[in-house]
Tab-separated table of all heavy atoms in Angstrom:
chain	number	residue	atom	x	y	z
I	120	GLU	N	107.820	-101.967	-212.428
I	120	GLU	CA	107.402	-101.396	-213.711
I	120	GLU	C	107.840	-99.943	-213.849
I	120	GLU	O	108.088	-99.465	-214.961
I	120	GLU	CB	105.893	-101.523	-213.862
I	120	GLU	CG	105.429	-102.968	-214.064
I	120	GLU	CD	103.920	-103.121	-214.012
I	120	GLU	OE1	103.234	-102.121	-213.694
I	120	GLU	OE2	103.431	-104.236	-214.287
I	121	ASP	N	107.944	-99.252	-212.724
I	121	ASP	CA	108.402	-97.862	-212.745
I	121	ASP	C	109.921	-97.748	-212.684
I	121	ASP	O	110.460	-96.630	-212.646
I	121	ASP	CB	107.795	-97.091	-211.563
I	121	ASP	CG	106.312	-96.821	-211.737
I	121	ASP	OD1	105.809	-96.980	-212.873
I	121	ASP	OD2	105.652	-96.459	-210.744
I	122	GLY	N	110.605	-98.886	-212.630
I	122	GLY	CA	112.054	-98.864	-212.532
I	122	GLY	C	112.564	-98.430	-211.176
I	122	GLY	O	113.722	-98.011	-211.033
I	123	ALA	N	111.718	-98.544	-210.148
I	123	ALA	CA	112.072	-98.056	-208.819
I	123	ALA	C	112.556	-99.138	-207.871
I	123	ALA	O	113.061	-98.831	-206.786
I	123	ALA	CB	110.872	-97.340	-208.196
I	124	LEU	N	112.401	-100.413	-208.240
I	124	LEU	CA	112.830	-101.514	-207.371
I	124	LEU	C	114.277	-101.831	-207.700
I	124	LEU	O	114.583	-102.383	-208.759
I	124	LEU	CB	111.930	-102.739	-207.582
I	124	LEU	CG	112.185	-103.956	-206.678
I	124	LEU	CD1	112.135	-103.578	-205.210
I	124	LEU	CD2	111.187	-105.061	-206.988
I	125	ARG	N	115.162	-101.531	-206.757
I	125	ARG	CA	116.591	-101.506	-207.061
I	125	ARG	C	117.348	-102.741	-206.594
I	125	ARG	O	118.567	-102.814	-206.750
I	125	ARG	CB	117.221	-100.250	-206.472
I	125	ARG	CG	116.733	-98.962	-207.138
I	125	ARG	CD	117.314	-97.741	-206.462
I	125	ARG	NE	118.767	-97.866	-206.310
I	125	ARG	CZ	119.476	-97.204	-205.396
I	125	ARG	NH1	118.852	-96.408	-204.535
I	125	ARG	NH2	120.778	-97.352	-205.318
I	126	TYR	N	116.672	-103.715	-206.011
I	126	TYR	CA	117.338	-104.987	-205.734
I	126	TYR	C	116.352	-106.123	-205.997
I	126	TYR	O	115.136	-105.906	-206.064
I	126	TYR	CB	117.938	-105.040	-204.323
I	126	TYR	CG	116.996	-104.955	-203.151
I	126	TYR	CD1	116.295	-106.070	-202.694
I	126	TYR	CD2	116.842	-103.770	-202.437
I	126	TYR	CE1	115.461	-106.019	-201.581
I	126	TYR	CE2	116.019	-103.696	-201.320
I	126	TYR	CZ	115.331	-104.823	-200.899
I	126	TYR	OH	114.519	-104.762	-199.798
I	127	PRO	N	116.849	-107.352	-206.188
I	127	PRO	CA	115.958	-108.456	-206.559
I	127	PRO	C	115.084	-108.908	-205.404
I	127	PRO	O	115.545	-109.011	-204.261
I	127	PRO	CB	116.925	-109.567	-206.978
I	127	PRO	CG	118.205	-109.253	-206.279
I	127	PRO	CD	118.268	-107.761	-206.192
I	128	VAL	N	113.818	-109.172	-205.704
I	128	VAL	CA	112.878	-109.669	-204.705
I	128	VAL	C	112.088	-110.818	-205.316
I	128	VAL	O	111.565	-110.706	-206.423
I	128	VAL	CB	111.905	-108.567	-204.222
I	128	VAL	CG1	110.940	-109.137	-203.181
I	128	VAL	CG2	112.657	-107.372	-203.662
I	129	PHE	N	112.003	-111.930	-204.591
I	129	PHE	CA	111.189	-113.064	-205.032
I	129	PHE	C	109.728	-112.838	-204.663
I	129	PHE	O	109.408	-112.486	-203.520
I	129	PHE	CB	111.669	-114.361	-204.376
I	129	PHE	CG	112.895	-114.960	-205.009
I	129	PHE	CD1	113.998	-115.289	-204.226
I	129	PHE	CD2	112.947	-115.204	-206.367
I	129	PHE	CE1	115.123	-115.846	-204.792
I	129	PHE	CE2	114.076	-115.758	-206.951
I	129	PHE	CZ	115.170	-116.074	-206.163
I	130	ALA	N	108.850	-113.067	-205.622
I	130	ALA	CA	107.405	-112.972	-205.397
I	130	ALA	C	106.918	-114.300	-204.831
I	130	ALA	O	106.315	-115.122	-205.530
I	130	ALA	CB	106.684	-112.635	-206.697
I	131	VAL	N	107.171	-114.513	-203.548
I	131	VAL	CA	106.806	-115.773	-202.910
I	131	VAL	C	105.307	-116.036	-203.032
I	131	VAL	O	104.861	-117.168	-203.230
I	131	VAL	CB	107.256	-115.777	-201.434
I	131	VAL	CG1	106.687	-116.980	-200.685
I	131	VAL	CG2	108.780	-115.770	-201.346
I	132	ASN	N	104.522	-114.974	-202.943
I	132	ASN	CA	103.070	-115.128	-203.015
I	132	ASN	C	102.600	-115.822	-204.286
I	132	ASN	O	101.554	-116.471	-204.286
I	132	ASN	CB	102.392	-113.761	-202.911
I	132	ASN	CG	100.886	-113.858	-203.030
I	132	ASN	OD1	100.203	-114.208	-202.075
I	132	ASN	ND2	100.354	-113.565	-204.213
I	133	ASP	N	103.365	-115.682	-205.365
I	133	ASP	CA	102.887	-116.145	-206.666
I	133	ASP	C	103.218	-117.601	-206.962
I	133	ASP	O	102.865	-118.110	-208.028
I	133	ASP	CB	103.457	-115.256	-207.773
I	133	ASP	CG	102.874	-113.853	-207.734
I	133	ASP	OD1	101.996	-113.597	-206.885
I	133	ASP	OD2	103.301	-113.000	-208.538
I	134	THR	N	103.912	-118.285	-206.076
I	134	THR	CA	104.239	-119.682	-206.335
I	134	THR	C	103.011	-120.571	-206.126
I	134	THR	O	102.133	-120.244	-205.324
I	134	THR	CB	105.346	-120.184	-205.385
I	134	THR	OG1	104.821	-120.276	-204.063
I	134	THR	CG2	106.548	-119.260	-205.405
I	135	PRO	N	102.937	-121.711	-206.811
I	135	PRO	CA	101.829	-122.644	-206.570
I	135	PRO	C	101.714	-123.071	-205.109
I	135	PRO	O	100.609	-123.183	-204.575
I	135	PRO	CB	102.157	-123.828	-207.478
I	135	PRO	CG	102.939	-123.225	-208.601
I	135	PRO	CD	103.757	-122.135	-207.966
I	136	MET	N	102.844	-123.317	-204.435
I	136	MET	CA	102.788	-123.757	-203.041
I	136	MET	C	102.227	-122.680	-202.114
I	136	MET	O	101.782	-122.969	-201.010
I	136	MET	CB	104.177	-124.180	-202.563
I	136	MET	CG	104.593	-125.564	-203.049
I	136	MET	SD	103.504	-126.884	-202.437
I	136	MET	CE	104.005	-126.965	-200.721
I	137	LYS	N	102.262	-121.434	-202.536
I	137	LYS	CA	101.651	-120.351	-201.754
I	137	LYS	C	100.202	-120.135	-202.180
I	137	LYS	O	99.285	-120.156	-201.367
I	137	LYS	CB	102.469	-119.070	-201.941
I	137	LYS	CG	101.862	-117.822	-201.294
I	137	LYS	CD	101.932	-117.871	-199.794
I	137	LYS	CE	101.730	-116.503	-199.162
I	137	LYS	NZ	100.445	-115.879	-199.441
I	138	ARG	N	99.983	-119.940	-203.461
I	138	ARG	CA	98.646	-119.580	-203.943
I	138	ARG	C	97.627	-120.691	-203.721
I	138	ARG	O	96.497	-120.441	-203.302
I	138	ARG	CB	98.693	-119.244	-205.438
I	138	ARG	CG	99.400	-117.938	-205.772
I	138	ARG	CD	99.268	-117.617	-207.246
I	138	ARG	NE	99.914	-118.623	-208.088
I	138	ARG	CZ	99.281	-119.580	-208.755
I	138	ARG	NH1	97.966	-119.693	-208.666
I	138	ARG	NH2	99.949	-120.425	-209.501
I	139	LEU	N	98.017	-121.932	-204.000
I	139	LEU	CA	97.058	-123.036	-203.961
I	139	LEU	C	96.665	-123.421	-202.539
I	139	LEU	O	95.607	-124.023	-202.328
I	139	LEU	CB	97.633	-124.262	-204.679
I	139	LEU	CG	97.894	-124.092	-206.182
I	139	LEU	CD1	98.519	-125.364	-206.744
I	139	LEU	CD2	96.626	-123.745	-206.936
I	140	PHE	N	97.484	-123.079	-201.569
I	140	PHE	CA	97.234	-123.539	-200.209
I	140	PHE	C	97.057	-122.378	-199.236
I	140	PHE	O	96.021	-122.255	-198.590
I	140	PHE	CB	98.370	-124.461	-199.762
I	140	PHE	CG	98.582	-125.606	-200.700
I	140	PHE	CD1	99.606	-125.609	-201.623
I	140	PHE	CD2	97.700	-126.681	-200.693
I	140	PHE	CE1	99.780	-126.662	-202.508
I	140	PHE	CE2	97.859	-127.741	-201.568
I	140	PHE	CZ	98.902	-127.734	-202.479
I	141	ASP	N	98.050	-121.516	-199.127
I	141	ASP	CA	97.966	-120.386	-198.204
I	141	ASP	C	96.796	-119.482	-198.573
I	141	ASP	O	95.947	-119.158	-197.739
I	141	ASP	CB	99.293	-119.620	-198.261
I	141	ASP	CG	99.365	-118.474	-197.268
I	141	ASP	OD1	98.440	-117.634	-197.263
I	141	ASP	OD2	100.355	-118.372	-196.530
I	142	ASN	N	96.721	-119.061	-199.825
I	142	ASN	CA	95.693	-118.105	-200.218
I	142	ASN	C	94.305	-118.727	-200.212
I	142	ASN	O	93.343	-118.119	-199.724
I	142	ASN	CB	96.012	-117.542	-201.602
I	142	ASN	CG	97.245	-116.652	-201.598
I	142	ASN	OD1	97.795	-116.355	-200.550
I	142	ASN	ND2	97.676	-116.234	-202.764
I	143	VAL	N	94.180	-119.928	-200.758
I	143	VAL	CA	92.856	-120.544	-200.865
I	143	VAL	C	92.431	-121.130	-199.520
I	143	VAL	O	91.432	-120.716	-198.926
I	143	VAL	CB	92.845	-121.631	-201.955
I	143	VAL	CG1	91.502	-122.339	-201.987
I	143	VAL	CG2	93.131	-120.998	-203.329
I	144	HIS	N	93.182	-122.092	-199.024
I	144	HIS	CA	92.777	-122.779	-197.794
I	144	HIS	C	93.095	-121.954	-196.548
I	144	HIS	O	92.290	-121.891	-195.613
I	144	HIS	CB	93.446	-124.146	-197.715
I	144	HIS	CG	92.992	-125.084	-198.790
I	144	HIS	ND1	91.776	-125.713	-198.752
I	144	HIS	CD2	93.586	-125.467	-199.953
I	144	HIS	CE1	91.631	-126.463	-199.833
I	144	HIS	NE2	92.715	-126.330	-200.575
I	145	GLY	N	94.265	-121.315	-196.529
I	145	GLY	CA	94.641	-120.545	-195.352
I	145	GLY	C	93.714	-119.370	-195.109
I	145	GLY	O	93.125	-119.233	-194.033
I	146	THR	N	93.571	-118.506	-196.108
I	146	THR	CA	92.710	-117.340	-195.941
I	146	THR	C	91.259	-117.758	-195.771
I	146	THR	O	90.539	-117.209	-194.924
I	146	THR	CB	92.851	-116.386	-197.135
I	146	THR	OG1	94.216	-115.967	-197.256
I	146	THR	CG2	91.967	-115.160	-196.974
I	147	GLY	N	90.815	-118.718	-196.570
I	147	GLY	CA	89.431	-119.162	-196.462
I	147	GLY	C	89.095	-119.672	-195.080
I	147	GLY	O	88.108	-119.257	-194.461
I	148	GLU	N	89.917	-120.583	-194.559
I	148	GLU	CA	89.645	-121.161	-193.251
I	148	GLU	C	89.816	-120.140	-192.126
I	148	GLU	O	88.960	-120.020	-191.239
I	148	GLU	CB	90.564	-122.356	-193.004
I	148	GLU	CG	90.238	-123.569	-193.863
I	148	GLU	CD	91.092	-124.775	-193.507
I	148	GLU	OE1	91.630	-124.811	-192.379
I	148	GLU	OE2	91.225	-125.662	-194.360
């Protein structure tokens, strides 16, 4: 947002396969 990220990065955390399982079940357990 500040225009400071100068190369492309994938937000892996935001995918359904990450959020629905890693964040919910992984962190919870």
Side-chain angles (χ1 to χ4, degrees):
E120 290 172 353
D121 288 346
L124 184 55
R125 293 176 50 203
Y126 63 81
V128 180
F129 281 128
V131 171
N132 178 79
D133 291 357
T134 70
M136 282 298 287
K137 174 70 163 61
R138 289 186 297 102
L139 296 178
F140 305 101
D141 184 307
N142 291 353
V143 176
H144 295 284
T146 301
E148 290 185 21

